[in-house]
Amino acid sequence: PIQRMAGGKVWVDESLSEWPENDFRVFVGNLSKDVSEAMLQHHFEQYASLAKCKVVRDHKEVSKGFGFCSFLDPMDCAKAIREKDQSWLSSRPIKVRRSDWKDRNVQMGKKKGKNKKRSKFNSRR
């Protein structure tokens, strides 16, 4: 199980085991409430390495207005961001960005914090 961290809280996220290992994931935002996973999958199916799409829903199964798509090839991921950002899906232009999900893992967050170097320009005095 992978521990996640956001908003000062830490939890175990079992849903990450559903995704391919070492994938390249994009965040898809501004989804209308009627967008299903099948619609999202269809919107990105032109990319051969598309592995999975998921619309995030609340406990009542209502869309939260965003989702994620996973690619196995980094070039497909980059093309999807470039070509699909601001494209129309259902009744809205969607936002497509690189997902920062790995940055929210507890282990990755600790590593990032240790590697920061302070220069004389950004150090606190």
Side-chain angles (χ1 to χ4, degrees):
I2 298 174
Q3 281 192 320
R4 306 293 304 275
M5 181 175 56
K9 296 181 181 179
V10 177
W11 72 96
V12 174
D13 191 346
E14 302 291 338
S15 69
L16 287 176
S17 62
E18 301 169 8
W19 295 87
E21 255 187 70
N22 300 319
D23 64 341
F24 301 90
R25 207 167 303 167
V26 296
F27 166 84
V28 184
N30 199 34
L31 296 177
S32 63
K33 301 288 183 205
D34 65 322
V35 172
S36 66
E37 287 178 12
M39 291 170 72
L40 190 59
Q41 183 96 17
H42 179 70
H43 194 70
F44 286 91
E45 72 185 2
Q46 73 191 65
Y47 306 102
S49 72
L50 179 67
K52 179 180 173 76
C53 289
K54 182 170 180 77
V55 174
V56 177
R57 301 184 179 282
D58 66 12
H59 64 282
K60 294 181 182 177
E61 291 301 309
V62 176
S63 170
K64 289 189 168 187
F66 66 94
F68 298 92
C69 290
S70 169
F71 301 89
L72 301 178
D73 177 13
M75 295 305 289
D76 277 351
C77 181
K79 281 176 63 177
I81 292 169
R82 192 172 52 253
E83 295 172 356
K84 294 297 185 175
D85 186 42
Q86 297 302 316
S87 65
W88 286 80
L89 178 56
S90 187
S91 61
R92 295 184 179 179
I94 60 173
K95 296 180 188 294
V96 182
R97 305 279 186 264
R98 186 186 69 82
S99 173
D100 65 352
W101 72 274
K102 287 183 181 179
D103 297 344
R104 295 179 186 268
N105 291 350
V106 171
Q107 288 301 92
M108 291 300 289
K110 287 179 182 176
K111 287 180 186 174
K112 281 186 131 187
K114 286 183 181 178
N115 292 335
K116 283 188 179 175
K117 292 182 180 177
R118 288 191 171 199
S119 72
K120 63 181 178 183
F121 299 108
N122 67 2
S123 62
R124 292 183 182 172
R125 294 184 183 199

